[in-house]
Amino acid sequence: MQIVMPTWNLVGPVALVTLVVIVSRFLTIYPLLVFSGAGRRTAFGVSLNLAQISEFGLVIATLGVSYGHLRPESITIILYALAVTAVLSSYGIRFGQPLFRLYDRLLSRAGFTTSRFQKID
């Protein structure tokens, strides 16, 4: 596979794909875990850890191009989004606790209270 030199034209599509991946992981994984009783902290951590594109996604996208379902330029966008989400995921894991505290405060201000067993200092 050849990696295309990045240009400024890729910034918008890569940012959009990255945003869609992160938001979609939180919209799908977080509610499932909360409603199954895992708690907000666990659901946040799992959603944060899974908010990235995997190498398998790149393989699937390559197959999509070979079958004509995707344009060849899509591989470049997905490849760079994979790199961005991998880096963001690493920092997300590293700073997961402070991010959860901020997230929990925002939810509390919005009226979603935390159970006393999951309260954070």
Side-chain angles (χ1 to χ4, degrees), residues 2-6 10 14 58 71-81:
Q2 295 179 350
I3 299 175
V4 178
M5 181 70 92
L10 289 174
V14 168
L58 192 60
R71 295 178 304 163
E73 301 85 38
S74 302
I75 294 295
T76 303
I77 295 168
I78 293 170
L79 178 66
Y80 282 112

Side-chain angles (χ1 to χ4, degrees), residues 72-93:
E73 301 85 38
S74 302
I75 294 295
T76 303
I77 295 168
I78 293 170
L79 178 66
Y80 282 112
L82 180 146
V84 169
T85 57
V87 170
L88 288 178
S89 179
S90 298
Y91 283 107
I93 292 167

